[in-house]
Amino acid sequence: MKNTLRLLRRYRSTAWLFSPFPPALKAWFKQRIENPAWRWAPLSPDATPAERSARYWAERWSAVALSQFGLRNHSSAVREPLAIRVSYGKWNFAELAERFRTEEGIASLQPKDVELNELLHLARLISSHPVDPDDPELSWRMLQFATRDGFGQTEHQTLPFAVATYLERGLAADVRIAMDKLAFSPQLRNQLSVDLLNPWQENAANQDEQRWLDTLNAEYRKAGIAPIELLPAGESVFDRLTATAPSRITDGPLVSIVTCTHRPDWQLATSVRSVLAQSWQNWELLIVDDASGDEFAPVLDEVAAMDPRIRVLRLTENGGAYRARNEAMRHINGEFVTFHDDDDWMHPQRIEIQVQHLIQNPQYPANTSQYRRMLPNGFLSYGRRLRLLGISEVSIMFRPAQVLPVVGGFDPVRKGGDTEFRLRVGAAFGIAVPTLRNYPGLMLGRFDPASLSGSEFGDEWAHEARRLYWASAHAYHSSIAAGTRSPFVGPNPEDRQCPIPGRFLGQPNRVLDVDDVILIPGVPEGEQADLRAELALIASLRTQGRRVGVSLVVTPSYPHIRGK
């Protein structure tokens, strides 16, 4: 019976298993399948309030809910209830961790001592949000123990973490075994194959660059577009990227390409070279220098001399990429406009493909292409998630004469404005901006985990300022779609149609001095909270001259920010 229940717990939706049974019996079975606390070691009568609280959380929520809550909120406190679940109620986190810190402790563990899948959730949490210097090694020891018989029993929530960690540690043989036995998607299989053949990693088994390129190009050839090649030399593997378009198109509408830069270095030349290689030859490139300073003039002059179609617009005040793009809109001449980051690389057929799509599909106001992030050493996999193709927000292309009179420009924030712009265009025109998914990685983005954006995203986590901005923009776009608010955003912050965190305006963090704090509960995924009573209370307090703060209270059952 115990083994049967253990097996059935792998299926998170269990109601269908017992549909012929009475509701009370169904609830009894479901509770024992999804929550095994009924067979845990009993809680000591002398348990402290903290221990009782951890036990309560462990009994009430699954390892999936606990780990996702911990990842999304950077909560190290979740380690305690996860350790209780992992050890069937026998050990707290310190006691469990102590057993994994030595080879003797690991050797003393028996399969009946720990629940392996839940141990993987704990290892993932420790790895993503380390507290102590030895946490990475502790996470690795837990992962090794949980996967010592292979990845076959690994749950889908923890499989990317497990495979990415093995890949990061150079254990290619284990990853190949996983690829042979598990049903990875074709895209993920290709990405892992590319990284396994990376000849620039330490102690690489493959030293053949062409073999790496052939694997990388499998999806490009399948899509019928030019394969990627490598220059003989460069600052990094990423800076050696190149490709040759099969043909050149010299007629057709002019496309304006806008690249914003601040304190550029050699990476700008890599970005510009990919523009020069475009099959669509009727383009102009406007490089907007966001007040870099006189010492960066030689870099800008060098790239401007690469082609007469390149112009440099120098701003005297630094305002961020989206302010710079708004200024660029006053200086472009193209029938179409698109954007390109100063450290990225675009496929030579990207402009051609996006222009032809808009010409052939006039019902769409804009389009985007897909991007693939790449580390400077050529690796496609990084971090604790196996990231595949995504929407290249910077690649958005549209007709400025059609779009700008309706939506104005980009929200003049410091970050996140390109996603907001795409969604606002879709809401304003009543049709979502499509991403051309038939073509893999028309944009390759140079990824630096320490960059402005890289430091604000993690495994199941985004900085709270990002989440607040998304929530505010989502409400604004819903109002646009309903016809109750204008989609037009002017170039100045006072023109903004929705509130945003000060962090998005470049303002320093500050301590708020308030008289009252209103607690707003989180809501389950897919639901909305009715916040009218809270809003009325806030309005009443403000009319009394009181300073009001708002704090969101989330739990594993109520993790989301959504309200009306």
Side-chain angles (χ1 to χ4, degrees):
M1 180 65 177
K2 180 173 70 174
N3 291 333
T4 301
L5 290 174
R6 194 174 187 180
L7 175 64
L8 291 176
R9 281 184 57 230
R10 290 182 56 78
Y11 298 90
R12 295 298 174 192
S13 178
T14 58
W16 63 273
L17 289 170
F18 309 108
S19 55
F21 298 105
L25 184 58
K26 285 193 292 184
W28 185 89
F29 269 109
K30 190 173 187 292
Q31 191 272 339
R32 276 155 178 75
I33 290 172
E34 296 187 348
N35 186 351
W38 59 277
R39 57 188 177 87
W40 288 355
L43 186 65
S44 169
D46 301 325
T48 65
E51 290 171 338
R52 293 183 182 278
S53 175
R55 180 71 174 230
Y56 169 82
W57 280 58
E59 292 180 354
R60 184 164 183 176
W61 288 295
S62 68
V64 174
L66 287 169
S67 64
Q68 288 184 346
F69 176 78
L71 292 167
R72 291 171 180 170
N73 295 280
H74 276 199
S75 173
S76 60
V78 173
R79 295 181 178 197
E80 291 296 338
L82 270 175
I84 292 172
R85 292 189 63 89
V86 167
S87 64
Y88 303 114
K90 294 191 296 292
W91 303 315
N92 60 29
F93 176 75
E95 293 167 336
L96 178 66
E98 188 61 32
R99 285 163 171 79
F100 280 97
R101 287 198 167 96
T102 64
E103 295 297 334
E104 295 77 11
I106 294 175
S108 69
L109 291 172
Q110 301 297 320
K112 61 182 177 61
D113 291 330
V114 292
E115 213 292 334
L116 297 183
N117 276 316
E118 307 210 344
L119 180 63
L120 278 171
H121 285 288
L122 179 57
R124 178 186 177 189
L125 178 65
I126 296 170
S127 174
S128 298
H129 303 310
V131 175
D132 298 320
D134 65 341
D135 274 355
E137 185 62 26
L138 174 63
S139 170
W140 171 237
R141 287 171 177 264
M142 290 180 173
L143 171 59
Q144 280 184 299
F145 186 86
T147 57
R148 59 184 179 179
D149 294 326
F151 296 97
Q153 300 300 314
T154 308
E155 294 179 335
H156 70 89
Q157 294 96 343
T158 53
L159 180 59
F161 153 70
V163 173
T165 305
Y166 270 85
L167 190 63
E168 184 181 89
R169 289 186 171 251
L171 300 174
D174 298 275
V175 177
R176 289 192 180 93
I177 292 173
M179 291 173 61
D180 291 339
K181 292 185 176 181
L182 302 179
F184 289 148
S185 69
Q187 284 185 353
L188 178 54
R189 189 173 295 276
N190 174 260
Q191 176 172 310
L192 292 174
S193 298
V194 171
D195 286 343
L196 288 171
L197 292 172
N198 187 303
W200 301 282
Q201 63 179 316
E202 187 177 355
N203 301 320
N206 172 55
Q207 300 293 329
D208 186 351
E209 291 185 1
Q210 189 58 49
R211 190 179 175 196
W212 178 83
L213 279 172
D214 290 342
T215 307
L216 175 65
N217 284 318
E219 292 187 350
Y220 290 92
R221 290 194 173 94
K222 183 178 179 181
I225 56 179
I228 293 175
E229 303 166 4
L230 288 176
L231 296 170
E235 293 286 342
S236 68
V237 177
F238 190 96
D239 294 288
R240 293 174 59 194
L241 295 173
T242 186
T244 303
S247 61
R248 299 225 165 190
I249 300 172
T250 55
D251 56 354
L254 177 67
V255 178
S256 297
I257 304 170
V258 175
T259 294
C260 301
T261 189
H262 180 64
R263 299 181 176 178
D265 56 17
W266 80 88
Q267 298 177 7
L268 178 59
T270 299
S271 172
V272 172
R273 278 199 305 269
S274 69
V275 175
L276 298 177
Q278 289 300 297
S279 61
W280 191 272
Q281 284 291 289
N282 194 17
W283 53 261
E284 63 172 3
L285 174 60
L286 181 60
I287 298 175
V288 185
D289 173 47
D290 196 14
S292 298
D294 294 340
E295 63 270 33
F296 295 92
V299 177
L300 295 166
D301 293 340
E302 180 182 345
V303 295
M306 295 171 71
D307 193 282
R309 293 168 290 182
I310 301 175
R311 291 180 289 144
V312 176
L313 175 64
R314 291 177 167 87
L315 304 183
T316 57
E317 181 180 349
N318 178 267
Y322 304 114
R323 279 177 174 263
R325 289 185 192 178
N326 288 337
E327 181 62 27
M329 294 300 99
R330 301 173 56 240
H331 299 270
I332 59 174
N333 303 303
E335 180 180 335
F336 295 91
V337 64
T338 189
F339 306 89
H340 185 47
D341 280 347
D342 65 348
D343 58 350
D344 287 351
W345 182 89
M346 72 165 86
H347 188 275
Q349 291 171 270
R350 182 209 139 195
I351 300 298
E352 171 193 348
I353 289 170
Q354 288 191 242
V355 169
Q356 291 182 343
H357 175 266
L358 288 178
I359 292 175
Q360 295 166 9
N361 300 273
Q363 71 273 24
Y364 293 117
N367 64 21
T368 61
S369 58
Q370 293 191 108
Y371 83 102
R372 170 174 267 162
R373 286 180 174 175
M374 178 181 283
L375 294 172
N377 64 0
F379 264 89
L380 303 176
S381 305
Y382 59 91
R384 294 298 175 262
R385 299 179 68 188
L386 299 175
R387 301 168 191 263
L388 299 173
L389 297 170
I391 298 175
S392 172
E393 302 289 3
V394 73
S395 73
I396 189 168
M397 179 181 286
F398 56 89
R399 291 180 175 90
Q402 174 192 16
V403 172
L404 295 182
V406 177
V407 302
F410 288 87
D411 189 358
V413 291
R414 286 286 178 168
K415 48 200 168 186
D418 40 15
T419 301
E420 190 281 328
F421 182 82
R422 172 177 61 84
L423 296 175
R424 177 157 42 95
V425 168
F429 285 87
I431 185 170
V433 173
T435 298
L436 308 186
R437 300 189 183 277
N438 292 333
Y439 302 96
L442 292 179
M443 294 285 290
L444 286 182
R446 187 194 306 262
F447 182 68
D448 178 6
S451 68
L452 176 64
S453 59
S455 62
E456 293 196 347
F457 295 97
D459 186 359
E460 294 285 348
W461 173 80
H463 193 280
E464 55 269 21
R466 293 264 180 183
R467 289 186 286 175
L468 286 170
Y469 182 58
W470 292 338
S472 178
H474 174 75
Y476 172 40
H477 299 153
S478 297
S479 299
I480 294 172
T484 58
R485 298 178 76 180
S486 168
F488 192 89
V489 173
N492 301 311
E494 54 268 24
D495 299 323
R496 181 169 294 105
Q497 298 277 345
C498 61
I500 66 168
R503 183 184 178 95
F504 270 54
L505 295 176
Q507 298 173 355
N509 293 332
R510 55 196 176 97
V511 177
L512 298 178
D513 185 12
V514 298
D515 300 308
D516 302 281
V517 176
I518 306 298
L519 301 181
I520 304 295
V523 297
E525 187 170 4
E527 296 184 15
Q528 286 191 337
D530 189 340
L531 303 179
R532 285 174 291 190
E534 288 84 353
L535 292 173
L537 176 59
I538 293 172
S540 174
L541 291 171
R542 293 188 65 182
T543 59
Q544 301 172 35
R546 300 186 68 80
R547 295 163 297 181
V548 182
V550 176
S551 178
L552 179 73
V553 179
V554 295
T555 72
S557 292
Y558 302 96
H560 294 277
I561 308 173
R562 285 203 185 96
K564 57 182 180 179

